[in-house]
Amino acid sequence: MSDDMWPLGVFASCDEGLGLSLDLVRDLGVATVHLHAPRPESRSEDLAIRLEEKLANSDITATCMFAGFEGESYADISATRSTVGLVPEEHRKERIDEFKLISNFALMLGIDVVGMHLGFIPIESQSEMYDGLVGVMKHLCEFCHGKSQSIYLETGQETVATLLAFLRDVDAENLFVNFDPANMILYGVGEPLPALQQLGPYVRSVHCKDAKWSDLPGETWGTEVPLGEGDVGVRAFLQLLHDIGYSGPLTIEREIPHECDRQVREVRDGIELLKELTSQVKGEAEVSS
Ligand code: MG
């Protein structure tokens, strides 16, 4: 089994955002990050150069830049539905333009993947809304393809059946999935492990995040908890990643940016947990091969 399988990573931010600052990430000793895109006013060639230097000096590879948009709210499921991603039609045009700027900024840093929450994909696949969204995604995939970039859609806001249908309808060779098992639980859209099995080859990156189910799945949020303390089943998650042939980064997310000390401590605990569990999974694979 390759030594460079499953490099550990952390979700990081360059300015305000859900991730850890790069200075804190450096102290954690991980090899990779997913980087939340900086705000429009901070995005510049100068910032790109400084970020590139900081990453290089810390021996950290940024494997994905996550797009986010002005006006998005994750306050509750209803707010998420009406404000997030490219689904809300009133913001779609400006966000398409913004996505392209983020893609360009990622390219300045040599990042060949842009990740995003697309928003709640409509279930009605025969609707005008759905067709419009497929068209937008095709357009953005073509835009990124011209620059050898891929787009990874983050899981969570729709069932695996809806996501799979959407991926097939867009039918782009550079459209994949960032699988976040906790989101499936937080949004109440299905058991994460069977979803991972079904998405299989589309999964090109993952977030290692944990959560507990809500009493009213799909109506109220579940609760995000430290990795290993929720309902994901991290050992089984890793085993399945191994079984479907996923060898990319394991990127820890702990979305409590306003409790920085706790966030760092729990990310560090998550790193230790992943080290232990990945060595178990890899060890068993060695024995059985
Ligand atoms: Mg995530």
Side-chain angles (χ1 to χ4, degrees):
M1 195 168 295
S2 162
D3 279 346
D4 53 10
M5 179 180 177
W6 289 344
L8 296 184
V10 172
F11 193 92
S13 300
C14 338
D15 48 21
E16 281 173 26
L18 290 172
L20 290 179
S21 78
L22 283 177
D23 291 330
L24 291 171
V25 171
R26 187 185 49 211
D27 296 337
L28 293 169
V30 294
T32 68
V33 285
H34 282 183
L35 208 48
H36 194 265
R39 288 188 302 268
E41 60 271 26
S42 348
R43 252 177 264 142
S44 64
E45 206 167 322
D46 181 51
L47 177 66
I49 291 167
R50 282 187 283 123
L51 281 174
E52 204 170 18
E53 276 176 10
K54 191 175 254 194
L55 290 164
N57 290 339
S58 311
D59 269 335
I60 294 173
T61 303
T63 55
C64 176
M65 175 154 284
F66 260 84
F69 305 107
E70 234 13 78
E72 293 183 320
S73 167
Y74 291 87
D76 53 37
I77 291 181
S78 158
T80 309
R81 184 181 292 280
S82 61
T83 66
V84 166
L86 298 177
V87 174
E89 285 175 303
E90 67 273 28
H91 298 299
R92 196 177 284 171
K93 189 177 175 317
E94 78 210 29
R95 289 182 179 176
I96 290 169
D97 294 342
E98 180 66 5
F99 181 94
K100 291 177 180 175
L101 294 173
I102 291 170
S103 151
N104 290 338
F105 186 76
L107 208 62
M108 282 190 219
L109 286 164
I111 300 174
D112 61 2
V113 174
V114 182
M116 71 182 306
H117 278 288
L118 181 61
F120 283 73
I121 298 170
I123 302 168
E124 310 80 20
S125 62
Q126 300 303 314
S127 66
E128 207 174 300
M129 170 78 163
Y130 181 87
D131 290 346
L133 207 55
V134 168
V136 166
M137 212 61 242
K138 278 182 188 282
H139 171 70
L140 290 180
C141 286
E142 276 169 28
F143 178 82
C144 285
H145 190 257
K147 298 183 293 180
S148 302
Q149 274 180 329
S150 295
I151 299 176
Y152 293 0
L153 297 180
E154 170 112 356
T155 52
Q157 288 153 356
E158 54 285 310
T159 63
V160 67
T162 300
L163 182 57
L164 271 173
F166 184 76
L167 292 163
R168 287 172 185 148
D169 287 339
V170 176
D171 191 25
E173 59 187 273
N174 60 336
L175 183 62
F176 300 103
V177 165
N178 178 69
F179 190 83
D180 185 324
N183 281 351
M184 308 288 299
I185 293 171
L186 289 168
Y187 287 90
V189 291
E191 286 289 349
L193 269 49
L196 175 60
Q197 179 91 57
Q198 280 181 271
L199 287 166
Y202 283 108
V203 176
R204 292 294 178 94
S205 68
V206 300
H207 284 165
C208 293
K209 190 171 86 188
D210 214 338
K212 288 186 175 291
W213 287 91
S214 155
D215 293 340
L216 298 167
E219 289 181 47
T220 59
W221 286 123
T223 308
E224 196 213 336
V225 296
L227 195 64
E229 295 181 17
D231 295 326
V232 165
V234 180
R235 174 71 163 76
F237 175 56
L238 294 170
Q239 184 64 54
L240 185 52
L241 287 174
H242 169 268
D243 294 347
I244 65 170
Y246 177 83
S247 59
L250 302 176
T251 306
I252 296 174
E253 247 189 333
R254 183 70 177 110
E255 298 182 350
I256 46 170
H258 303 300
E259 297 179 74
C260 186
D261 291 347
R262 183 176 160 211
Q263 186 184 32
V264 172
R265 192 170 64 244
E266 292 180 358
V267 167
R268 186 172 276 124
D269 291 345
I271 290 170
E272 291 311 309
L273 179 70
L274 286 183
K275 282 181 180 169
E276 184 188 328
L277 294 180
T278 53
S279 73
Q280 284 176 18
V281 172
K282 287 177 183 177
E284 280 178 22
E286 295 283 351
V287 168
S288 62
S289 65

